[in-house]
Amino acid sequence: LLSRSEDAIAAYKRVLSEYPSDAGADEVLHRLGYCHYQNKRWDEASEVLRELWESHPSSPWADSALYRLGWIRLQKGAYADALEYFRILREKSAEGLYAEQALYQEGVCRYRLHDFAGAGAAYAEVLKKFPQGPLTERALLESGWTFAAEGKDKEAAAAFEKFLKQFPSAPAVPQALFWMGEDGRRRMDYAAAEGFFDRLVREHPRSDLADDALYSWAVGLARSGRHDDATRILHRLLDEYPSSDLVADARFAVAENEAALKHYAEAIKLFNRILSDGGENARAKETAMRIADCQFARGAFARALDGYAKLADADDAFVAAQARFKKAIAWEAMGETGEAKSDLLEVLYGRGSRKPWADKAALRLGEIFEREGRMQDALTLYEHLLEAGGRGDEADAARERVEQLKRGGF
């Protein structure tokens, strides 16, 4: 085929060279440009198509040349140039053969240029002018993505719902279903999310998004307190998609669900299995931390202390600060207040000090000082927390304690 194309290119060039002013020169330019276009020789195609458009603006092939010039610029990432070609074509041929395509591609270019409002307007015009056109499906889908990019989730949901209703067999249905499921999860409408994720997995089990849908579905179930159901869905992911990139996350989530159900022994067993498999070292420290957390939750404070101690000197300063803080809490639970204070001071003033653990340490140390009757020392800690830019629950608690202590004359 390429050999035939090369022969055709040579023939068209010879005709143009010998008969440059022939009445059929525009058609020859069209055919030559199309050969280059088919062979993805974008520069040669652009040169020929531009000559056709500029030299023969009234040719029946001019609209085709404009469209292909725009499409080539779009493929090369020159979105502003492509947009200009499609805009000219749309204005030149408002009701012509390429009118719908030009308008749709104008939306694509505007989206790529982050002009989401302009893209949305172009897609809306496609749907209005060509409600039964060949690009209606794509325009409706893209309008949903455009609304989503603008943060207009309600409008995006309406567009995707319409898309799913009008085009239930479209190739992009899994993507629309997944977005709708994630939207429900973001809004904490877990029942709605479950419906969309379930439909995606049932109707499109071979979709690249099927495992993602199962995982997101499980996350929503866990957040709504349905940990047993979440574990059931996670096991489906592990059984049906054993090669998924989400296998490690799913295994970790199963263990987390057991911990949430206060099945600490089972959770510890599962976390230990993750560590022993050795294939998930990226979250080894997090897994070890969760084992210690489970030990603490079940009242095995000495084991928890040992687990936290091993992480307190971690290279990751955030992990080290977290572990040392929790180590202090374990000491405190064991009645070793002096050891607890030592670790809390290290979290607060040591080289590895990291928020929010430094704020948590200041608040906890202040509470210990209050119990010991050291009100001025506690006040100093609370004020230090606030002056250091503390935020969230710790800052709110510190502010309340400062007010109460000052009312008490300290």
Side-chain angles (χ1 to χ4, degrees):
L1 288 176
L2 185 60
S3 176
R4 291 182 183 179
S5 177
E6 296 296 341
D7 290 342
I9 287 170
Y12 293 140
K13 284 182 175 180
R14 187 165 58 252
V15 169
L16 289 170
S17 174
E18 295 177 3
Y19 308 99
S21 302
D22 189 87
D26 58 337
E27 182 177 355
V28 177
L29 284 169
H30 163 73
R31 293 181 180 278
L32 175 58
Y34 185 71
C35 284
H36 287 312
Y37 183 88
Q38 286 287 84
N39 291 333
K40 296 184 180 180
R41 294 174 178 171
W42 305 132
D43 291 340
E44 291 91 334
S46 294
E47 182 179 353
V48 173
L49 294 170
R50 194 176 299 110
E51 181 181 352
L52 167 56
W53 172 47
E54 292 174 353
S55 302
H56 307 275
S58 300
S59 167
W61 309 107
D63 287 358
S64 171
L66 269 175
Y67 181 79
R68 291 198 172 107
L69 282 167
W71 196 88
I72 289 170
R73 300 307 292 162
L74 180 61
Q75 301 311 300
K76 296 189 110 179
Y79 305 127
D81 292 346
L83 176 61
E84 184 62 14
Y85 280 121
F86 292 130
R87 185 192 62 77
I88 293 170
L89 177 57
R90 174 174 56 81
E91 293 178 354
K92 178 177 179 293
S93 179
E95 305 298 332
L97 180 64
Y98 289 93
E100 182 184 6
Q101 295 180 60
L103 192 53
Y104 172 81
Q105 296 293 5
E106 186 175 330
V108 172
C109 293
R110 291 189 183 280
Y111 186 93
R112 301 280 178 84
L113 291 166
H114 294 175
D115 175 12
F116 301 125
Y123 295 136
E125 195 70 10
V126 171
L127 297 171
K128 179 181 177 181
K129 287 188 172 181
F130 310 96
Q132 305 300 323
L135 292 175
T136 300
E137 174 188 321
R138 291 167 65 184
L140 188 52
L141 178 69
E142 295 300 333
S143 67
W145 296 128
T146 301
F147 282 130
E150 289 185 278
K152 296 180 177 179
D153 290 347
K154 287 185 178 179
E155 292 85 348
F160 287 130
E161 283 180 358
K162 189 174 182 181
F163 170 78
L164 291 169
K165 185 176 181 180
Q166 285 188 226
F167 305 100
S169 301
V173 161
Q175 286 91 330
L177 286 170
F178 188 78
W179 189 93
M180 293 293 285
E182 288 289 271
D183 179 59
R185 192 160 67 89
R186 284 191 297 269
R187 292 184 290 105
M188 292 188 290
D189 184 350
Y190 298 118
E194 182 173 9
F196 288 114
F197 290 138
D198 181 41
R199 178 180 165 188
L200 194 163
V201 176
R202 278 189 296 103
E203 297 180 3
H204 307 277
R206 295 184 180 181
S207 167
D208 290 342
L209 289 170
D211 55 338
D212 294 88
L214 285 169
Y215 185 77
S216 290
W217 182 358
V219 170
L221 289 169
R223 287 180 181 173
S224 63
R226 296 167 59 188
H227 297 288
D228 283 327
D229 289 333
T231 295
R232 175 176 56 81
I233 297 301
L234 289 166
H235 279 300
R236 281 187 60 187
L237 191 163
L238 294 169
D239 293 341
E240 297 173 22
Y241 302 94
S243 300
S244 169
D245 292 339
L246 292 167
V247 163
D249 291 329
R251 293 181 66 196
F252 192 87
V254 169
E256 287 283 31
N257 283 324
E258 293 298 331
L261 289 167
K262 299 184 179 181
H263 300 161
Y264 300 121
E266 180 64 19
I268 290 168
K269 182 173 74 174
L270 292 172
F271 283 131
N272 272 318
R273 190 175 298 161
I274 290 171
L275 283 179
S276 65
D277 285 352
E280 295 158 31
N281 290 329
R283 65 191 318 165
K285 292 184 179 67
E286 183 182 5
T287 304
M289 188 78 74
R290 293 300 291 128
I291 291 172
D293 291 342
C294 289
Q295 296 287 15
F296 184 91
R298 70 199 290 243
F301 302 129
R303 290 189 178 185
L305 183 69
D306 182 59
Y308 294 137
K310 291 176 181 177
L311 293 165
D313 295 319
D315 294 336
D316 186 322
F318 183 88
V319 171
Q322 180 186 13
R324 193 168 294 278
F325 173 80
K326 291 182 174 181
K327 179 169 168 258
I329 304 306
W331 277 123
E332 198 176 352
M334 296 169 67
E336 300 289 346
T337 305
E339 296 288 355
K341 288 191 289 186
S342 176
D343 275 322
L344 290 171
L345 285 167
E346 179 65 25
V347 174
L348 186 55
Y349 298 115
R351 289 188 301 171
S353 178
R354 287 290 186 279
K355 288 184 178 296
W357 305 108
D359 292 346
K360 291 178 183 292
L363 185 65
R364 193 72 174 215
L365 193 56
E367 292 169 352
I368 292 174
F369 284 163
E370 283 195 64
R371 290 198 299 271
E372 294 176 341
R374 299 168 58 184
M375 302 305 184
Q376 190 59 53
D377 289 338
L379 180 60
T380 299
L381 277 172
Y382 297 142
E383 289 178 335
H384 171 79
L385 190 161
L386 296 172
E387 290 169 2
R391 299 178 181 177
D393 294 341
E394 287 75 27
D396 291 341
R399 197 172 290 109
E400 182 180 341
R401 296 306 305 143
V402 167
E403 292 173 0
Q404 288 189 15
L405 287 169
K406 287 186 175 180
R407 281 200 300 268
F410 296 99

